Amino acid sequence: MSDSPSIFTKIIAREIPADIVFESDSVIAFRDIAPQAPVHLLVVPKTEQFANVAQLAAGNPELLAELVSVAQQLADEHTNSEFRLIFNTGESAGQTVFHVHAHVLGGHLEEGTLGH
Ligand code: 5GP
């Protein structure tokens, strides 16, 4: 089930607060409210048209490339330029917000781990 407007659309509209670290015409990034790593940012297209990364890749590959580029820029600014990029896709994979977003994790992550 997808909620519309999504929680991220409400953040974009400043209807709910967030620690915003980047914003362009098409993309916003902010700190995750429940960080799973020393650096844990969410990079989100402003459109909520795409529920997940597969839809985004099929529908607007340039916007997906922009998300990756913003992720690198944020890793340059917030950690040592190295990062893990996660797109949870589907409920059983841990997706809870069906407005596509990339998790950018950084800062001394354990080798050989991807979560549980
Ligand atoms: P998902 O589980 O869909 O891959 O990721 C959703 C993420 O959004 C979670 O890591 C969760 O902590 C984060 N999140 C949910 N609600 C809010 C909120 O209101 N503000 C912020 N900054 N992050 C949120």
Side-chain angles (χ1 to χ4, degrees):
M1 277 281 291
S2 67
D3 287 330
S4 191
S6 75
I7 189 127
F8 296 156
T9 294
K10 291 177 186 165
I11 287 174
I12 293 160
R14 274 51 176 189
E15 288 169 14
I16 52 176
D19 187 353
I20 295 168
V21 294
F22 173 89
E23 186 166 24
S24 70
D25 288 347
S26 47
V27 175
I28 194 165
F30 46 87
R31 290 185 196 280
D32 197 291
I33 205 169
Q36 307 289 314
V39 175
H40 186 172
L41 305 172
L42 299 175
V43 185
V44 185
K46 286 189 171 177
T47 175
E48 61 172 44
Q49 180 184 359
F50 306 107
N52 60 50
V53 68
Q55 287 184 15
L56 177 60
N60 192 337
E62 294 82 9
L63 185 52
L64 174 57
E66 194 180 336
L67 282 198
V68 176
S69 161
V70 170
Q72 178 67 71
Q73 184 184 320
L74 291 170
D76 292 343
E77 290 168 7
H78 292 267
T79 182
N80 64 347
S81 298
E82 299 182 345
F83 60 102
R84 183 175 295 168
L85 195 62
I86 295 176
F87 291 90
N88 293 328
T89 305
E91 219 169 318
S92 70
Q95 188 174 7
T96 57
V97 179
F98 293 86
H99 173 162
V100 63
H101 54 281
H103 295 259
V104 178
L105 303 179
H108 301 292
L109 304 178
E110 226 179 299
E111 280 179 44
T113 61
L114 278 176
H116 297 289

